[in-house]
Amino acid sequence: MNFEFSEEQDLLREQAQSFLNQHSPLDAVRAVLEGDQAYDAKLYAGMAELGWTATTIPEQYGGIGLGHLELCVIAEELGRSLAPTPFSSCIYLVSEALQLFGSDAQKQRYLPGLASGETIGAFALAEGPQPATAANLTSRVEGDALTGTKVPVADGDCANFAIVLAADADGGSLYLVDLDGPGVQRTTVETLDPTRSHASIEFSAAPAERLGEAGAGWLQTDRIFDRAAVLFAFEQVGGAHAALDMAKEYALGRFAFGRPIASFQAIKHKLADMYIAATLARSNCYYGAWALSTDAAELPVAAATARVSASQAFHECAKENIQTHGGMGFTWEFNCHLYYRRAKLLSVNLGSLPRWKNRLITNIETSNALSA
Amino acid sequence: MNFEFSEEQDLLREQAQSFLNQHSPLDAVRAVLEGDQAYDAKLYAGMAELGWTATTIPEQYGGIGLGHLELCVIAEELGRSLAPTPFSSCIYLVSEALQLFGSDAQKQRYLPGLASGETIGAFALAEGPQPATAANLTSRVEGDALTGTKVPVADGDCANFAIVLAADADGGSLYLVDLDGPGVQRTTVETLDPTRSHASIEFSAAPAERLGEAGAGWLQTDRIFDRAAVLFAFEQVGGAHAALDMAKEYALGRFAFGRPIASFQAIKHKLADMYIAATLARSNCYYGAWALSTDAAELPVAAATARVSASQAFHECAKENIQTHGGMGFTWEFNCHLYYRRAKLLSVNLGSLPRWKNRLITNIETSNALSA
Amino acid sequence: MDFNDTPAEAEFRAAARTFLEANATLTSGAPQRDETETEQIERAKAWQQLKQDNGWACLNWPTEYGGRGATPIELIIWNQEESRYDVPTGPFAIGLGMCGPTMIAYASEDQKREHLPRMAAGQDIWCQLFSEPAAGSDLAGLRTRAERDGDDWVINGQKIWTSGAQFSDWGILVTRTDPSVAKHKGLTFFFLNMHSPGIEVRPIKQISGGANFNEVYFTDVRIPDTQRLGEVGQGWGVSLTTLMNERLAVGNAGGADFPDLFELASKTDLDGEPAINNAAVREKLADWYCQASGLKFTNYRTISALSRGTTPGPENSITKIVSAVKMQDLGSFGLDLMDMGGILNDATLDPANLIFQQNFMGAPGYRIAGGTDEILRNIIAERVLGMPQDIRVDKNVPFSEVPTGNS
Amino acid sequence: MDFNDTPAEAEFRAAARTFLEANATLTSGAPQRDETETEQIERAKAWQQLKQDNGWACLNWPTEYGGRGATPIELIIWNQEESRYDVPTGPFAIGLGMCGPTMIAYASEDQKREHLPRMAAGQDIWCQLFSEPAAGSDLAGLRTRAERDGDDWVINGQKIWTSGAQFSDWGILVTRTDPSVAKHKGLTFFFLNMHSPGIEVRPIKQISGGANFNEVYFTDVRIPDTQRLGEVGQGWGVSLTTLMNERLAVGNAGGADFPDLFELASKTDLDGEPAINNAAVREKLADWYCQASGLKFTNYRTISALSRGTTPGPENSITKIVSAVKMQDLGSFGLDLMDMGGILNDATLDPANLIFQQNFMGAPGYRIAGGTDEILRNIIAERVLGMPQDIRVDKNVPFSEVPTGNS
């Protein structure tokens, strides 16, 4: 039994922590929260320089071809630090999509830029405040031209290109669209978590090139999301532990009634519950990491398990971190809300928690049917 | 605003408490739990003597024609004392059903016996461990003969007659069946709550007389259950408060680490949560009582609200009463388990909690549609 | 058991309605307002003055101080009716609800006759200066010093969470006058002019983006001893009077509730049909309906007691804790229903989801302000269920020797 | 990251399988047993003897005391393999898991050589006499007295929750020898022959109907001073050694779990289709799946640490609290799925629902035994997160002066 990260991976984690402590302190996160920048470009360049963006991209496309376990390690630290960069859009979603479904030409064209951090890609599915489904999707490709509006698109305002799920004659496919090209109008939208930029993108007969099989867009998206779910789950677990640590530190230092509030059972038990949620989530994430890194048949179940568990843990820890802080917790000045916002963003960004619970059971039913 | 019981009703409550303290102490409940008796016949005779069984039955049928508010008061005290009698089957279900749907002859035949407590009636719907529906009901009436098996039937082993929901040529109707007559075989079944007797009843072409309209059995049952739900909810609230009181008394007297466990936040907050659940349930029950006593259009919504809320409160209070007692709580000798058992019985006896949550929303949708 | 007014109550309600109909607009018919805080204050003052002129201000206060000497149930009926109208009462809530009753209980007759009618007529706005950065749940741990200097007291320190400090004319203040005695014994209570030199008010930005509270800094602020309320060292007892009135005032957290979520679920698509058809959505809706209904009818029970002229039971103590948590969970779930779009807070895209975001970002504050969930559970356990206090290590120790940690 | 054995582990596992296959039957293929307790004990003793004869007993004990000197990961591998077989190990769990390690740490060399090999070979069964009616969560509040009389100690008092006392030959016992000093300082630890005069064992019936525990009464029971473990007054330290081993042993509450509920939901009708199709059912199933999965992989992480030869983190401390609550809620929900029929516990009607009833009636005990939910949260907060202890009023007070209430 070797169900832990290796020493090399732990070393990578230490390096990542040390880099992010220096270059992505919460002050840097607040600068994006309160400023006009879509993301922290200097930080992202630094991450690229360390090779993080290149981690899982094969060498022939400008990457360094490490496994997904290393990417999981980085993801956890990004989640812990709340790093305000387009890393997840570029790497968890777009790079994975290209590697799974791109033609050699498409990989050649896009992966090196993602690997070097010079190109930013976004994944565009949502069309407003409801779950997107084959029945309600209005973005449509006719010929090679995409028309419709996608919102919110994470990093859509700073991305150079997007992978778009759109309806078409075949039912729905993925398309690559140059966002700096014709027929594209983008507006930054306000969201619950301003530390991560989101856009509304209006396509008016924008040139679109199909990614992978015609009509397979929804199935492809499921496969991409399974992989991204594991990586986001590591971000969520990192965030959950950071919120737990923050609550613990505050509770140890804050006195009321002549004693640290950490000595009151109401606070102790709250933090114990946060620890329990974060620990269950972490262990489920490891399962997801194993499945992702080995391309196991269990990936759909493992990914949904990791995502459900980690979404619950991050929300719980972020929410009760505020509560532990009392009055200070709901001030703009304290950092508690940064975790609370990010937790909600990450729990809906690939589809909401209730939908993933349903998907988990569907995946279990499918895998039972397969193994029966 | 006069959303409380009246002084006369409060007086009735005091009398009921005093009678039940004397004649239905938990020792009497345990005697039924551990003994062979289906119920405490002496206690039930005493209740009948006080006129409780006659409360809502019109004078022309041997009753005293008081309103349902008085019955709610009695129900709460029966719930608090866990009185081991067939009162609920006879009065909440069978008497209500006869009053709603019985012909004058049927009322003349059955209500006086129920009012005097000399006759026991049971309501038979369930057919094993699944929700009974029009699609899966196997008990069937052909001509005037009922064939099929009902289990569990509360008080089915001690009842003289039953109201049975059975399939028939019209889709499903209610039938009156003499349980002491031909074609009836009954077996007492073991259940989670042995303080209330339940039977399996096998009907083999037993003579059956229709109650009310042909083919209306399911709708009739809904109406009967709406009314019974309010009355059972009062029993549940009584039980919830009794469990809360028991937990509080124990926590005040039990010392650990040199202080009453009632001074530890973990216990205090647990009991506060029990109080919150019980208080919400009580207020919802009052709404149900108002709707029941005035035959308001809101009854279906009010009844479902009361039942959902009271089922949750009783379960929560009974469960955490055990936990508050620590090791003693899960011994047979302590009385905690009596509430825990009863709470589960009452939360499934008219259909389970999840089904009533669904029904509540359905009733809200219906009433919105009506008022729109 | 019914929901009806008594004849006297019905008559009172009809009179209230007549006044309101003649002088105000129903909320549902009111225009969208876009006004500054100053404009809102002016409107509030005008409304309060109008009410006072017509005998509808401070209903339960004695007539000699500008009130009407009404019964508690009449006050409730008035509030029920007024709440249906588009009138600005917020700026006076703390003054009339908490400062006024404290003045009535502790001020001199002259002071009452000077200040209370002005308060009742909306001429002065009052605020309450209690909480401090290091004294939140443990309010009696406050450190703002008051030192005697001739006929005055000199105040130095900092208060926090003071609603309306920026536009208040007067305030009530609790201070520490003797750190050498036990925590609760060294406090003294005052009222003071908020325009006094040495007072600085700074707004606090909340995570919801709003700024409903302030920090108030005191630097050598002078208060004449005549404005002391209660004896020196008896400030805790005075504070409890005020807090008792706060407790009555702290009610339902509000925000998006069952009907809003029901509507959202009815119009939002989930797996090809309205989300309301989904069994998991229905279960959550049912739970929140039962909570909302339970709170509503709990409140009715309290009102019924007042209507009968008896003292309400402790039931209403559950309102804030239940409603604040519901506000948070229901808001969060509303965002879930909107799925990836739940994070959008751009009103031009879909105004509907803003109310759920407001729940989500506002509820953390409601779970804390006016008593945290944890403090409220303590209160229910101790005052309703009669369970003992936790062990208190700060009880018989001079305040200056109580451990304080970092804060 | 993988789930594979190292080559050495794989070899060990293969050897274990070979022995088990040759000497036991897989649980799935085992006949339904209907045996008395005595028969079960005989079978357990025979199996233990067989294991010992072949080097598979008490794997992590030193060889000179009947063990094999195996590594912790080897012990886990053996337990994994043995648990698949229909062999009775329960009667020895406490003796081998808790009493043995305590004897190894504190008994004299002669005593170890006398008792441990007999224990390892199943010749003697041991029990643990710790809890008392007034000393549950507060174990150190125990009152059973041991008074010195010549070379003996005389024991009077009562223990409770003693598993297996009725068939045990020996026991370990903690007593109070000095009530005039602080609680933790007046305790002394012994081992004793359970067949000594003055011991009376009475079974305790649980709410589940079973009787897995006993009360044990001591009336002038004599124990030679040579059977004292540790110094007089140092009994608490010895107890902690035992409890540390208990903590390692307390694991998953078991009972009906996700697969059982999944199966029930798949076959039970709800609104005309299998309940598994209902979204609310699916959400609950998903929650419990995630918990079960989280516990499983947390355990794998602990095993991985042992496999690497490093000390496991504190993660496994969450196992009991999560699994016991899950056991209760999942059981309760299983009964809900069966609707009105959920209360039936007549196996002839439907054996399937019995496992959910067993959860429902058994879980309240699991939430308490071996540390209540509340004590476990304290432990996680204090030992894992490093938060301070609650205020302790009984710490520096003579035990005889600690308040005791009714109990």
Side-chain angles (χ1 to χ4, degrees):
Chain A
M1 180 74 62
N2 180 26
F3 190 62
E4 278 290 348
F5 287 101
S6 69
E7 277 180 35
E8 293 72 24
Q9 287 153 356
D10 285 342
L11 206 64
L12 171 63
R13 175 189 312 282
E14 280 170 37
Q15 290 166 343
Q17 282 178 352
S18 135
F19 172 80
L20 290 166
N21 284 343
Q22 195 182 340
H23 296 93
S24 182
L26 290 177
D27 284 351
V29 181
R30 295 191 81 93
V32 173
L33 173 75
E34 294 169 349
D36 293 331
Q37 299 299 312
Y39 67 103
D40 187 329
K42 193 159 156 256
L43 170 63
Y44 195 57
M47 287 161 57
E49 207 165 296
L50 287 171
W52 294 0
T53 41
T55 308
T56 54
I57 296 176
E59 289 180 40
Q60 69 200 96
Y61 302 117
I64 52 179
L66 283 173
H68 280 83
L69 292 179
E70 285 72 19
L71 193 53
C72 290
V73 168
I74 293 167
E76 181 178 340
E77 298 313 318
L78 293 174
R80 191 188 311 273
S81 68
L82 300 174
T85 75
F87 189 85
S88 54
S89 293
C90 295
I91 306 305
Y92 309 164
L93 288 162
V94 171
S95 161
E96 291 294 325
L98 283 162
Q99 290 184 60
L100 281 173
F101 305 114
S103 66
D104 189 59
Q106 288 168 334
K107 292 183 195 172
Q108 286 291 1
R109 183 166 156 210
Y110 291 108
L111 286 177
L114 293 174
S116 69
E118 283 154 27
T119 311
I120 295 176
F123 192 93
L125 168 55
E127 298 186 355
Q130 65 178 356
T133 61
N136 66 24
L137 214 61
T138 61
S139 297
R140 192 169 173 86
V141 170
E142 301 279 357
D144 296 325
L146 168 63
T147 299
T149 302
K150 291 287 182 182
V151 59
V153 181
D155 303 303
D157 49 354
C158 58
N160 305 102
F161 71 102
I163 295 175
V164 180
L165 178 58
D168 59 15
D170 300 301
S173 313
L174 292 179
Y175 289 90
L176 284 157
V177 184
D178 183 353
L179 295 181
D180 300 320
V184 176
Q185 198 165 9
R186 336 184 215 174
T187 326
T188 301
V189 291
E190 288 178 38
T191 74
L192 195 71
D193 182 7
T195 67
R196 294 284 292 108
S197 71
H198 287 77
S200 171
I201 311 185
E202 197 184 330
F203 300 98
S204 316
E209 175 185 321
R210 210 179 57 235
L211 176 68
E213 204 182 326
W218 290 96
L219 289 173
Q220 289 171 328
T221 300
D222 277 351
R223 285 193 58 196
I224 296 163
F225 278 17
D226 278 345
R227 302 177 76 79
V230 174
L231 296 161
F232 276 116
F234 272 93
E235 283 205 2
Q236 292 168 310
V237 160
H241 279 276
L244 169 59
D245 287 346
M246 189 178 174
K248 188 179 76 176
E249 289 311 312
Y250 188 79
L252 288 169
R254 171 84 182 180
F255 276 54
F257 306 101
R259 43 195 276 212
I261 63 169
S263 72
F264 286 101
Q265 277 187 332
I267 298 295
K268 290 166 77 167
H269 289 194
K270 184 191 295 298
L271 267 76
D273 285 338
M274 290 159 71
Y275 174 79
I276 288 169
T279 301
L280 291 172
R282 174 178 295 281
S283 299
N284 282 325
C285 278
Y286 283 22
Y287 179 44
W290 167 81
L292 176 63
S293 66
T294 59
D295 255 324
E298 290 89 338
L299 178 61
V301 169
T305 305
R307 180 166 177 83
V308 168
S309 200
S311 293
Q312 288 172 330
F314 194 9
H315 177 65
E316 181 71 16
C317 290
K319 180 165 73 77
E320 297 308 319
N321 178 38
I322 297 179
Q323 185 71 12
T324 302
H325 276 71
M328 295 303 154
F330 68 94
T331 63
W332 186 268
E333 188 191 356
F334 269 57
N335 290 322
C336 305
H337 63 120
L338 303 181
Y339 298 102
Y340 187 61
R341 293 172 187 279
R342 183 64 65 84
K344 192 70 209 177
L345 168 64
L346 295 187
S347 80
V348 300
N349 69 342
L350 300 178
S352 68
L353 182 58
R355 292 182 68 217
W356 275 89
K357 287 186 183 176
N358 184 52
R359 182 166 169 163
L360 169 57
I361 300 302
T362 303
N363 293 345
I364 291 171
E365 290 173 314
T366 308
S367 70
N368 281 1
L370 289 177
S371 68
Chain B
M1 180 73 63
N2 180 26
F3 191 62
E4 277 291 348
F5 287 101
S6 69
E7 277 180 35
E8 292 73 23
Q9 286 153 358
D10 284 342
L11 206 65
L12 172 63
R13 176 190 312 283
E14 280 170 36
Q15 290 166 343
Q17 280 178 354
S18 134
F19 172 80
L20 290 166
N21 284 344
Q22 195 181 339
H23 295 95
S24 182
L26 290 177
D27 284 353
V29 181
R30 294 191 81 92
V32 173
L33 173 76
E34 293 169 349
D36 293 333
Q37 299 299 312
Y39 67 103
D40 186 330
K42 192 157 157 257
L43 170 64
Y44 195 56
M47 287 161 56
E49 205 166 297
L50 287 170
W52 294 359
T53 41
T55 308
T56 55
I57 296 175
E59 289 180 39
Q60 70 201 97
Y61 303 118
I64 52 179
L66 282 173
H68 280 83
L69 291 179
E70 285 72 18
L71 193 54
C72 290
V73 168
I74 292 167
E76 181 179 338
E77 298 314 317
L78 292 175
R80 191 188 310 276
S81 68
L82 300 175
T85 74
F87 189 84
S88 53
S89 293
C90 295
I91 305 304
Y92 309 163
L93 288 162
V94 171
S95 161
E96 290 294 324
L98 283 162
Q99 289 184 62
L100 282 172
F101 305 113
S103 66
D104 189 59
Q106 289 169 334
K107 292 183 194 173
Q108 286 290 3
R109 180 163 158 214
Y110 290 110
L111 286 176
L114 293 173
S116 70
E118 283 156 26
T119 310
I120 294 175
F123 192 92
L125 167 56
E127 299 186 355
Q130 65 178 359
T133 62
N136 66 24
L137 214 62
T138 60
S139 298
R140 193 170 174 86
V141 170
E142 301 279 359
D144 296 325
L146 168 65
T147 300
T149 302
K150 292 287 183 184
V151 59
V153 181
D155 304 302
D157 48 353
C158 57
N160 306 101
F161 71 103
I163 295 176
V164 180
L165 178 58
D168 59 16
D170 300 301
S173 314
L174 293 179
Y175 289 90
L176 285 157
V177 184
D178 183 353
L179 293 181
D180 300 320
V184 176
Q185 195 163 11
R186 336 186 216 174
T187 326
T188 301
V189 290
E190 287 178 37
T191 75
L192 196 70
D193 182 6
T195 67
R196 295 283 292 108
S197 71
H198 287 76
S200 172
I201 312 186
E202 197 183 332
F203 299 98
S204 316
E209 176 185 320
R210 210 181 56 239
L211 175 69
E213 203 182 326
W218 288 96
L219 289 174
Q220 290 172 329
T221 300
D222 277 351
R223 287 193 58 197
I224 296 162
F225 277 18
D226 278 345
R227 303 176 76 79
V230 174
L231 296 160
F232 275 117
F234 272 93
E235 283 205 1
Q236 290 168 310
V237 160
H241 279 277
L244 169 58
D245 289 345
M246 189 177 174
K248 189 179 75 176
E249 289 312 312
Y250 188 79
L252 287 169
R254 172 83 182 179
F255 276 53
F257 305 102
R259 43 195 276 211
I261 63 170
S263 71
F264 286 101
Q265 278 187 331
I267 298 295
K268 290 167 77 167
H269 290 194
K270 183 190 296 297
L271 267 76
D273 286 339
M274 290 160 71
Y275 173 79
I276 289 169
T279 301
L280 290 172
R282 173 179 295 283
S283 299
N284 282 326
C285 278
Y286 283 22
Y287 180 42
W290 167 80
L292 175 64
S293 66
T294 58
D295 254 325
E298 289 90 337
L299 179 61
V301 170
T305 305
R307 178 164 178 83
V308 168
S309 202
S311 294
Q312 288 172 330
F314 194 9
H315 177 64
E316 182 68 17
C317 290
K319 180 164 74 79
E320 297 308 319
N321 177 38
I322 296 178
Q323 186 69 14
T324 303
H325 276 71
M328 295 303 157
F330 68 95
T331 62
W332 186 267
E333 188 191 358
F334 269 58
N335 290 322
C336 304
H337 64 119
L338 302 182
Y339 298 102
Y340 187 62
R341 294 173 187 279
R342 183 65 65 86
K344 193 69 209 176
L345 167 64
L346 295 187
S347 80
V348 300
N349 69 342
L350 300 178
S352 69
L353 181 57
R355 292 183 69 217
W356 275 89
K357 288 186 182 176
N358 184 53
R359 182 165 169 163
L360 168 57
I361 300 301
T362 303
N363 292 345
I364 290 171
E365 290 173 314
T366 309
S367 69
N368 281 0
L370 290 177
S371 69
Chain C
M1 189 176 278
D2 60 57
F3 302 113
N4 305 330
D5 287 335
T6 64
E9 289 165 9
E11 198 182 319
F12 181 88
R13 190 185 298 275
R17 281 193 185 167
T18 303
F19 171 77
L20 286 161
E21 277 164 24
N23 295 285
T25 314
L26 283 169
T27 305
S28 55
Q32 194 81 354
R33 283 185 200 278
D34 182 20
E35 62 187 359
T36 64
E37 184 180 89
T38 312
E39 287 162 350
Q40 199 209 0
I41 298 291
E42 284 315 305
R43 203 157 52 86
K45 286 189 167 185
W47 174 243
Q48 188 67 27
Q49 179 76 62
L50 185 72
K51 285 200 289 185
Q52 216 277 324
D53 293 343
N54 290 275
W56 294 106
C58 300
L59 288 158
N60 58 335
W61 291 11
T63 48
E64 61 268 36
Y65 305 139
R68 182 185 177 123
T71 62
I73 188 70
E74 287 174 336
L75 177 61
I76 283 173
I77 290 170
W78 168 262
N79 288 339
Q80 287 173 343
E81 296 300 322
E82 189 184 31
S83 69
R84 297 164 51 229
Y85 285 82
D86 177 44
V87 289
T89 57
F92 292 98
I94 296 212
L96 304 182
M98 300 175 65
C99 305
T102 306
M103 290 290 285
I104 290 172
Y106 288 97
S108 72
E109 190 57 32
D110 284 352
Q111 289 169 334
K112 288 193 239 190
R113 289 187 186 275
E114 179 187 348
H115 289 286
L116 290 167
R118 290 185 55 82
M119 207 190 296
Q123 289 153 350
D124 293 338
I125 298 183
W126 286 58
C127 66
Q128 170 216 352
L129 299 144
F130 276 26
S131 295
E132 298 186 8
S137 293
D138 179 15
L139 179 58
L142 59 90
R143 300 177 193 172
T144 292
R145 288 298 308 271
E147 284 162 305
R148 188 73 188 240
D149 181 29
D151 288 342
D152 288 352
W153 293 82
V154 179
I155 316 295
N156 281 286
Q158 181 195 352
K159 294 288 176 179
I160 198 170
W161 310 124
T162 314
S163 312
Q166 75 276 27
F167 50 68
S168 285
D169 305 294
W170 293 85
I172 56 175
L173 172 74
V174 59
T175 65
R176 183 161 308 277
T177 43
D178 187 355
S180 73
V181 297
K183 189 165 80 168
H184 292 88
K185 297 188 175 150
L187 304 178
T188 304
F189 204 103
F190 300 95
F191 70 93
L192 83 166
N193 191 315
M194 287 296 286
H195 308 298
S196 307
I199 296 181
E200 188 194 349
V201 176
R202 295 185 202 158
I204 303 170
K205 187 172 177 186
Q206 295 144 235
I207 64 174
S208 58
N212 301 110
F213 303 102
N214 301 280
E215 295 176 299
V216 181
Y217 292 83
F218 295 86
T219 312
D220 294 334
V221 175
R222 299 189 80 86
I223 305 179
D225 185 56
T226 52
Q227 289 177 203
R228 179 166 41 76
L229 297 176
E231 298 303 310
V232 174
Q234 301 291 315
W236 185 244
V238 184
S239 304
L240 289 181
T241 309
T242 316
L243 292 172
M244 200 115 68
N245 283 291
E246 180 179 35
R247 197 100 39 223
L248 291 175
V250 171
N252 202 299
D257 207 337
F258 175 84
D260 308 290
L261 190 64
F262 185 89
E263 190 190 334
L264 179 71
S266 300
K267 76 178 185 194
T268 302
D269 183 84
L270 179 59
D271 301 327
E273 47 181 344
I276 188 81
N277 294 353
N278 179 283
V281 174
R282 294 171 85 78
E283 277 210 0
K284 291 195 184 70
L285 277 167
D287 284 336
W288 287 314
Y289 183 85
C290 288
Q291 286 179 17
S293 168
L295 290 181
K296 172 179 162 187
F297 292 112
T298 299
N299 185 239
Y300 280 18
R301 290 169 58 201
T302 298
I303 296 174
S304 297
L306 293 173
S307 173
R308 288 184 182 188
T310 59
T311 308
E315 294 83 16
N316 249 357
S317 60
I318 70 171
T319 302
K320 200 196 84 130
I321 196 168
V322 174
S323 62
V325 171
K326 168 160 63 65
M327 181 187 188
Q328 184 164 41
D329 293 345
L330 187 149
S332 184
F333 184 68
L335 300 182
D336 282 345
L337 278 185
M338 293 182 264
D339 209 65
M340 298 181 196
I343 56 163
L344 291 168
N345 68 3
D346 191 332
T348 58
L349 290 165
D350 188 344
N353 65 356
L354 288 189
I355 60 172
F356 297 97
Q357 285 213 1
Q358 282 156 9
N359 270 34
F360 188 75
M361 295 311 294
Y366 278 102
R367 285 183 57 200
I368 291 163
T372 63
D373 290 358
E374 291 73 25
I375 290 291
L376 293 178
R377 284 200 183 87
N378 278 352
I379 288 174
I380 291 171
E382 290 168 19
R383 302 204 199 147
V384 177
L385 300 176
M387 299 170 82
Q389 274 198 336
D390 206 335
I391 302 296
R392 292 289 296 271
V393 295
D394 60 350
K395 212 154 186 177
N396 299 310
V397 181
F399 179 72
S400 54
E401 290 171 25
V402 171
T404 59
N406 306 344
S407 56
Chain D
M1 192 177 272
D2 61 58
F3 301 114
N4 304 329
D5 287 336
T6 65
E9 288 165 10
E11 198 182 318
F12 181 88
R13 191 184 298 275
R17 283 194 183 164
T18 304
F19 171 77
L20 286 160
E21 276 165 23
N23 295 286
T25 313
L26 283 169
T27 305
S28 55
Q32 195 82 352
R33 285 186 198 278
D34 184 21
E35 62 186 358
T36 64
E37 184 179 88
T38 311
E39 286 162 350
Q40 199 207 2
I41 297 290
E42 285 314 308
R43 202 157 52 85
K45 287 189 168 186
W47 174 241
Q48 188 66 28
Q49 179 77 63
L50 185 70
K51 286 200 289 183
Q52 216 276 325
D53 292 345
N54 291 273
W56 294 107
C58 302
L59 287 160
N60 58 336
W61 291 11
T63 47
E64 60 267 36
Y65 305 138
R68 182 186 176 120
T71 63
I73 189 70
E74 287 174 335
L75 177 59
I76 284 173
I77 291 170
W78 168 263
N79 287 341
Q80 287 172 342
E81 295 301 321
E82 189 185 30
S83 69
R84 297 162 53 228
Y85 286 82
D86 177 45
V87 289
T89 57
F92 292 98
I94 294 203
L96 304 183
M98 300 174 65
C99 305
T102 306
M103 290 290 284
I104 291 172
Y106 289 97
S108 72
E109 190 57 33
D110 282 353
Q111 288 168 335
K112 290 192 236 189
R113 289 186 186 274
E114 179 186 349
H115 289 286
L116 290 167
R118 291 184 55 82
M119 208 188 293
Q123 286 153 353
D124 292 337
I125 298 183
W126 286 57
C127 64
Q128 171 217 350
L129 300 144
F130 277 24
S131 296
E132 298 186 6
S137 293
D138 179 14
L139 179 58
L142 61 90
R143 300 177 193 172
T144 292
R145 288 296 311 270
E147 284 163 306
R148 187 74 190 238
D149 182 30
D151 288 341
D152 287 351
W153 293 82
V154 179
I155 316 295
N156 281 286
Q158 182 195 351
K159 294 289 175 179
I160 197 170
W161 310 122
T162 313
S163 312
Q166 74 276 29
F167 50 69
S168 285
D169 304 294
W170 292 84
I172 56 175
L173 171 75
V174 57
T175 64
R176 185 162 305 279
T177 42
D178 186 355
S180 73
V181 296
K183 190 165 80 169
H184 293 86
K185 297 186 176 153
L187 304 178
T188 302
F189 204 104
F190 300 94
F191 70 93
L192 83 167
N193 191 317
M194 288 295 288
H195 307 298
S196 306
I199 296 179
E200 187 193 350
V201 175
R202 296 185 202 158
I204 302 169
K205 187 173 177 185
Q206 295 143 236
I207 64 175
S208 58
N212 301 110
F213 304 101
N214 301 279
E215 295 176 299
V216 181
Y217 292 83
F218 294 86
T219 311
D220 294 333
V221 175
R222 299 188 80 87
I223 304 179
D225 185 55
T226 51
Q227 291 177 203
R228 176 164 45 74
L229 296 176
E231 297 304 309
V232 174
Q234 302 291 314
W236 185 243
V238 184
S239 303
L240 289 181
T241 308
T242 314
L243 292 172
M244 199 115 69
N245 283 291
E246 180 178 36
R247 197 99 39 219
L248 291 175
V250 171
N252 202 298
D257 206 337
F258 175 85
D260 308 290
L261 190 64
F262 186 90
E263 190 189 335
L264 180 70
S266 300
K267 75 178 187 195
T268 303
D269 183 84
L270 179 60
D271 301 327
E273 47 181 343
I276 188 78
N277 293 353
N278 180 283
V281 174
R282 293 171 85 78
E283 277 210 0
K284 291 195 184 69
L285 276 167
D287 284 337
W288 286 314
Y289 183 84
C290 288
Q291 287 179 16
S293 167
L295 290 180
K296 171 178 160 188
F297 293 113
T298 299
N299 185 239
Y300 280 18
R301 290 169 57 202
T302 298
I303 295 173
S304 296
L306 292 174
S307 173
R308 289 183 183 189
T310 59
T311 309
E315 294 83 16
N316 248 357
S317 59
I318 71 172
T319 302
K320 200 196 84 132
I321 194 167
V322 174
S323 62
V325 171
K326 169 159 62 67
M327 182 188 187
Q328 185 165 39
D329 293 346
L330 188 149
S332 183
F333 184 68
L335 300 182
D336 281 346
L337 279 185
M338 293 182 264
D339 209 65
M340 298 181 195
I343 57 163
L344 291 168
N345 68 5
D346 191 331
T348 58
L349 290 165
D350 188 346
N353 64 356
L354 287 189
I355 60 172
F356 297 97
Q357 285 213 0
Q358 282 155 8
N359 269 35
F360 188 75
M361 295 311 294
Y366 278 102
R367 286 184 57 202
I368 291 163
T372 63
D373 290 357
E374 290 73 24
I375 290 291
L376 293 179
R377 282 200 184 87
N378 279 352
I379 288 174
I380 290 170
E382 291 169 18
R383 300 203 201 148
V384 177
L385 300 175
M387 299 170 81
Q389 272 200 337
D390 206 334
I391 303 297
R392 292 290 297 272
V393 297
D394 60 349
K395 209 152 187 181
N396 300 309
V397 181
F399 179 72
S400 53
E401 291 170 24
V402 171
T404 57
N406 305 344
S407 55

